[in-house]
């Protein structure tokens, strides 16, 4: 079974969250993506949050971390898929928060 590991690098509440993410095994060791041998072992995610009236603008930057050239190339080639995945995740988050406000 594979897990996701997050190492929190920086928190500036409520403005920024920086994490290193990776796949990990049951012992917490870093391991390869199960279906992409050239996927970076680790990625760096920087999220910033900016209040805009009664809403929050979130900006997400995601990049390979300490990656080989082959890993960087695999990451870059997956941008369209990542946009779709992150877009769906953000839509679910919007729907979740909309439901929280309605309560």
């Amino acid at each position: 079974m594979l897990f996701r590991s997050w190492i929190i690098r920086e928190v500036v509440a409520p403005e920024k969250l920086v994490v290193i993410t990776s796949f990990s095994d049951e012992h917490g060791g870093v391991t390869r993506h199960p279906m992409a041998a050239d996927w970076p072992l680790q990625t760096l995610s920087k999220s910033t949050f900016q209040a805009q009236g009664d809403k929050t603008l979130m900006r997400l930057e995601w990049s390979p971390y300490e990656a080989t050239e082959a890993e960087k190339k695999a990451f870059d080639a997956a941008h369209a898929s990542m946009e779709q995945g992150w877009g769906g995740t953000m839509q679910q988050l919007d729907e979740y928060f909309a439901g929280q406000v309605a309560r």
Side-chain angles (χ1 to χ4, degrees), residues 40-51:
L41 280 173
Q42 299 180 72
T43 58
L44 176 66
S45 173
K46 296 179 186 178
S47 300
T48 57
F49 308 92
Q50 183 179 24

Side-chain angles (χ1 to χ4, degrees), residues 24-60:
S24 64
D25 60 25
E26 63 274 7
H27 304 290
V30 175
T31 190
R32 287 271 169 211
H33 186 294
M35 293 179 273
D38 284 336
W39 190 256
L41 280 173
Q42 299 180 72
T43 58
L44 176 66
S45 173
K46 296 179 186 178
S47 300
T48 57
F49 308 92
Q50 183 179 24
Q52 294 190 334
D54 64 343
K55 298 187 183 237
T56 301
L57 174 66
M58 178 186 171
R59 179 183 170 108
L60 173 66

Side-chain angles (χ1 to χ4, degrees), residues 39 60 62 75-93 95:
W39 190 256
L60 173 66
W62 195 30
F75 187 89
D76 289 344
H79 280 188
S81 175
M82 287 186 278
E83 280 186 35
Q84 184 178 16
W86 279 111
T89 298
M90 293 301 124
Q91 182 178 346
Q92 288 177 349
L93 189 58
E95 292 167 3

